[in-house]
Amino acid sequence: MNITIDGKQYSIASGEKLFAALKAAGEKTSSVLAALYNGTAVDLSYEPTADGVVSWIRIGTPEGLDLLRHSVSHIMALAVKRVRKDVKVTIGPSVKDGFYYDFDTTPAFTAEDLVGIEAAMKAIVKESLKFVRKEMSRNDAIDYFTKLGEPYKVEIIRDIDAPTVSLYELGEFTDLCRGPHIPHAGLVKAYKLQSVAGAYWRGSEKNKMLSRIYGTAFPAREDLDAYLKRIEAAKERDHRRIGKEMDIFSFHDEGQGFPFLHSKGMIIWNELITYWREEHAKAGYQEVKTPVILNRALWTTSGHWDNYRENMYTTVIDEEEHAIKPMNCPGGMLLFKQGMHSYRDLPLRVGEIGLVHRHEKSGVLSGLFRVRAFHQDDAHIFMREEHITSEILGVLTLIAAMYGTFGLTFHLELSTRPAKSIGSDEAWAMSEKALTEALKASGREYKVNPGDGAFYGPKIDVHIEDAIGRTWQCGTIQLDMNLPERFDLSYIAEDAKKHRPVMIHRVIYGSMERFLGILIEHFNGKFPLWLAPEQLVVMTVGNTDAQKAFGDELFRELFALGIRVRRDESNDTLGAKIRNARLQRIPYMVIIGDREAQTGTVTLRKRAGDEIKDLTPEGLIDGLRKEIRERMKDSNFEGVR
């Protein structure tokens, strides 16, 4: 039997497994976990029945890491069964950064249980237990798991519309699974169980609460150690804790998933919006505002009623069904239809900071990162087909400039047509081709996510990287040829006839609330001067009359210039005043003692601890205003003495 690997042909005997091809090609068995055989993912124990082309799934690739973590989830499930024999297993997938497995058990698992489970996993790895694939008829599998006392597996199999299912044995544990898996448990070198949580079976609050164990795995110990170090850094930067310490935002039981922004939070919010408006005005955008509630007919036309209704809040007004908008787009369609447009008006760039509501299950709510009401910095660009590349490049340029102001880098991903979508095959093919060409023209690297587009069009997702290396999907550029058709949008072309425009949906911040949470963690609450809720605090050393008079005069002058300044007039020691200001992460402290009061100068202390002495008030003001005006990422005071 002929096996082609990297363009070279190898022969293996009938009945031999892919292991034979692996050895024939001279590959190290420790670096290859599985294979793609004629495009299908299979185990290395797979026995080919026909000639084929093989590409290896290696341990150092994203596909290999995903496969490794899925295999470790099975190892964890076996360990759990050994530790607590009466446990019922449900599902255990790999996820971003790790894996989890849900168990039905009483009492629920606690963090203390993880130590014993990890010890059992260590024994399984030492045994080098093999992953053995088996196939059964659907009915036989139902009988098999019924006898094992695994009702959740039986329920899953009953929902599978296939005559046969695949199972994997690992020691005395058998799981329903498509696979593939690593050859044996001994290949696992680095793993860690991280936490336990509650999770409803199949995500429904009507079902039983299960015990979920989260873990992660990496090819090598140094990779795991680096990841755990990042996790610890992330805990220190948790925006929920910092938001409370700095009095930025809060949540209340009376409105779960609906954030409250405090006065300091609104300062940051308004600075972000002011910056957004300035940059968009320079890029030729108009700003509009559309209603929060619109009737069912609109959402039916847009496709949201049929494709997104489970995430929408609805109400009845004057005996007619309405919905609170989950997206701003349909309102933008109505605005475009308000008047007749000429080809000379295009491209037309229209932006909106729109409040949207989406129903999220309580179990997935997470600070500002996952809420039920948020603002999107939406913009819709109406254009002709020949504008597509230049407009997408323009959006990418704007994204790079704005993210750069915050010190954020990014990468791009192209998401194509999902299973649930609207529009013709031709429109989707043309849209995906146009986005691909624009990405190539940008010169930026990108990867493709098949089937992850919006239901009305393909998109470019923009993933930013923060100060500790985490990535977040914020910006999106979606090309849409379906909504203009559904809303019968048109413009008058050079031939004096009506033509259909193409449109782009795009966001840069994405969710304003989420972006705020990301910035809190990115800066660790130490915002650059232009964003800081409190920019400067004036403090005196001994509260003498001369010190207080000079401090009051300086405070009034700074306040009049719009600098967010406050006076610390407490009777605390200077050290305590400095400590309090640093806890509030205030960028600068002006210190006034007897010498400063006599000379009319100040000592400026930076948040990081270094000081500039003998600074004149004029030099202080010039340096502060320059740093604010230029929206510098770091406190880089350059005042004149």
Side-chain angles (χ1 to χ4, degrees):
M1 193 172 300
N2 295 320
I3 306 295
T4 303
I5 305 170
D6 295 331
K8 295 182 181 180
Q9 201 170 83
Y10 302 87
S11 294
I12 63 172
S14 178
E16 282 195 295
K17 301 175 181 180
L18 279 184
F19 277 116
L22 186 71
K23 292 178 181 178
E27 293 280 358
K28 292 182 179 179
T29 55
S30 60
S31 65
V32 177
L33 302 181
L36 290 176
Y37 193 80
N38 290 335
T40 301
V42 296
D43 303 299
L44 293 179
S45 59
Y46 175 72
E47 295 180 8
T49 57
D51 295 349
V53 177
V54 167
S55 58
W56 303 120
I57 298 177
R58 301 180 184 278
I59 197 168
T61 64
E63 295 79 11
L65 185 58
D66 184 72
L67 190 151
L68 173 70
R69 288 170 172 168
H70 186 193
S71 298
V72 177
S73 76
H74 282 235
I75 293 172
M76 180 181 73
L78 171 57
V80 167
K81 294 285 282 185
R82 287 183 175 182
V83 169
R84 195 177 289 187
K85 298 186 184 301
D86 61 346
V87 72
K88 301 290 187 293
V89 297
T90 64
I91 58 171
S94 59
V95 293
K96 184 180 182 295
D97 293 332
F99 59 86
Y100 71 80
Y101 216 115
D102 289 345
F103 302 95
D104 183 355
T105 183
T106 302
F109 286 120
T110 65
E112 288 72 26
D113 293 316
L114 300 185
V115 176
I117 296 170
E118 273 198 4
M121 291 175 69
K122 186 177 181 180
I124 294 165
V125 170
K126 191 174 182 179
E127 293 171 40
S128 292
L129 294 177
K130 291 183 178 181
F131 283 86
V132 180
R133 180 185 174 91
K134 292 187 174 183
E135 291 192 0
M136 284 188 184
S137 72
R138 182 171 170 273
N139 290 336
D140 286 348
I142 289 173
D143 291 341
Y144 178 78
F145 282 106
T146 299
K147 291 175 182 176
L148 284 180
E150 297 288 2
Y152 295 96
K153 297 298 178 184
V154 172
E155 183 178 334
I156 293 170
I157 297 169
R158 291 190 190 280
D159 291 340
I160 295 175
D161 185 17
T164 61
V165 295
S166 58
L167 292 73
Y168 277 82
E169 284 184 357
L170 181 69
E172 65 272 28
F173 172 63
T174 302
D175 202 1
L176 177 70
C177 184
R178 286 194 299 267
H181 281 285
I182 61 177
H184 60 84
L187 293 173
V188 176
K189 305 299 181 185
Y191 56 90
K192 179 70 177 175
L193 300 187
Q194 296 170 281
S195 62
V196 295
Y200 291 108
W201 168 236
R202 292 193 159 176
S204 173
E205 297 173 9
K206 297 177 182 178
N207 292 334
K208 187 171 184 178
M209 176 69 77
L210 306 172
S211 254
R212 175 172 293 180
I213 299 179
Y214 285 99
T216 192
F218 285 88
R221 171 58 60 178
E222 53 266 32
D223 298 325
L224 175 62
D225 290 343
Y227 170 76
L228 294 176
K229 188 175 180 180
R230 288 199 305 273
I231 292 298
E232 286 305 310
K235 287 179 181 177
E236 292 177 6
R237 293 168 178 257
D238 191 315
H239 74 284
R240 292 164 294 190
R241 178 180 59 80
I242 295 173
K244 184 176 182 179
E245 290 175 355
M246 294 183 68
D247 195 24
I248 294 173
F249 70 91
S250 62
F251 286 91
H252 301 270
D253 291 340
E254 291 81 358
Q256 293 186 16
F258 299 94
F260 288 68
L261 286 189
H262 301 187
S263 175
K264 290 180 181 178
M266 283 305 299
I267 290 171
I268 304 170
W269 181 275
N270 288 330
E271 290 290 351
L272 290 173
I273 290 180
T274 296
Y275 176 51
W276 184 92
R277 284 179 172 143
E278 288 178 8
E279 293 302 306
H280 282 73
K282 288 189 288 188
Y285 286 78
Q286 305 171 12
E287 187 177 359
V288 299
K289 187 175 186 297
T290 60
V292 173
I293 298 178
L294 295 162
N295 70 10
R296 174 178 174 172
L298 175 81
W299 302 110
T300 299
T301 300
S302 69
H304 288 87
W305 197 266
D306 295 326
N307 293 278
Y308 204 74
R309 187 180 175 188
E310 66 273 13
N311 298 102
M312 297 167 67
Y313 295 109
T314 61
T315 186
V316 175
I317 302 174
D318 294 336
E319 300 181 355
E320 183 181 13
E321 285 187 290
H322 287 66
I324 301 174
K325 65 178 179 181
M327 300 175 185
N328 299 303
C329 323
M333 305 298 107
L334 296 183
L335 279 181
F336 186 86
K337 291 189 71 171
Q338 182 66 23
M340 184 60 68
H341 298 277
S342 162
Y343 68 93
R344 296 185 183 90
D345 300 326
L346 307 183
L348 178 63
R349 307 180 190 103
V350 183
E352 173 180 13
I353 305 288
L355 174 61
V356 300
H357 291 71
R358 297 179 187 176
H359 179 61
E360 300 282 4
K361 293 176 181 177
S362 59
V364 301
L365 298 176
S366 177
L368 294 176
F369 292 160
R370 199 73 176 265
V371 293
R372 288 170 169 160
F374 56 96
H375 295 74
Q376 284 189 308
D377 64 318
D378 258 326
H380 301 105
I381 304 174
F382 302 91
M383 59 192 174
R384 296 184 291 177
E385 288 186 15
E386 57 264 35
H387 294 142
I388 292 175
T389 297
S390 62
E391 287 302 306
I392 290 175
L393 292 176
V395 174
L396 288 174
T397 298
L398 183 57
I399 284 172
M402 292 189 67
Y403 286 167
T405 297
F406 303 101
L408 298 165
T409 58
F410 65 91
H411 71 269
L412 305 173
E413 299 184 4
L414 172 62
S415 299
T416 58
R417 188 175 190 173
K420 192 174 183 181
S421 62
I422 60 176
S424 67
D425 293 343
E426 293 76 15
W428 274 91
M430 190 274 181
S431 299
E432 290 176 1
K433 183 178 181 225
L435 285 184
T436 301
E437 290 175 350
L439 283 168
K440 289 179 178 177
S442 75
R444 294 181 178 273
E445 293 186 3
Y446 68 94
K447 77 174 212 177
V448 179
N449 289 329
D452 202 34
F455 72 85
Y456 49 80
K459 59 178 179 169
I460 298 170
D461 288 325
V462 187
H463 296 257
I464 61 176
E465 183 174 324
D466 69 12
I468 58 173
R470 297 171 300 178
T471 58
W472 311 85
Q473 194 272 306
C474 290
T476 301
I477 307 171
Q478 300 171 347
L479 185 59
D480 187 357
M481 296 184 181
N482 290 308
L483 285 187
E485 182 74 28
R486 283 179 164 246
F487 280 90
D488 192 27
L489 304 187
S490 64
Y491 68 92
I492 304 300
E494 295 96 327
D495 60 5
K497 295 180 180 178
K498 288 185 177 182
H499 288 251
R500 188 79 66 209
V502 177
M503 70 176 295
I504 287 174
H505 309 250
R506 45 111 298 191
V507 293
I508 296 179
Y509 291 148
S511 157
M512 291 279 298
E513 285 77 357
R514 185 167 181 263
F515 194 75
L516 172 59
I518 291 170
L519 289 185
I520 291 172
E521 298 198 0
H522 174 60
F523 291 118
N524 199 14
K526 299 174 183 177
F527 292 101
L529 187 64
W530 70 278
L531 271 179
E534 290 182 309
Q535 296 171 322
L536 184 128
V537 58
V538 177
M539 56 184 67
T540 51
V541 176
N543 279 346
T544 66
D545 290 343
Q547 291 176 18
K548 290 170 67 176
F550 185 31
D552 289 342
E553 181 183 352
L554 182 60
F555 169 80
R556 287 192 295 269
E557 187 173 1
L558 292 167
F559 185 83
L561 292 171
I563 293 170
R564 296 188 286 274
V565 59
R566 71 173 172 87
R567 285 277 278 120
D568 185 343
E569 300 179 294
S570 68
N571 292 320
D572 291 337
T573 64
L574 178 62
K577 291 178 180 181
I578 291 172
R579 194 160 49 249
N580 290 336
R582 292 190 67 185
L583 285 173
Q584 284 300 304
R585 298 167 171 84
I586 299 172
Y588 292 118
M589 292 154 265
V590 166
I591 300 173
I592 298 174
D594 289 337
R595 186 173 65 85
E596 286 82 5
Q598 291 171 3
T599 61
T601 62
V602 300
T603 295
L604 183 70
R605 183 182 178 91
K606 299 182 182 180
R607 184 167 47 202
D610 49 326
E611 294 183 349
I612 302 174
K613 295 182 180 296
D614 303 322
L615 193 62
T616 65
E618 293 78 18
L620 170 69
I621 290 168
D622 287 346
L624 293 174
R625 296 182 77 179
K626 181 177 187 292
E627 192 170 323
I628 293 168
R629 181 175 62 252
E630 296 181 7
R631 293 190 172 95
M632 294 181 182
K633 292 186 289 292
D634 304 303
S635 294
N636 188 26
F637 189 84
E638 297 178 357
V640 180
R641 286 182 176 82

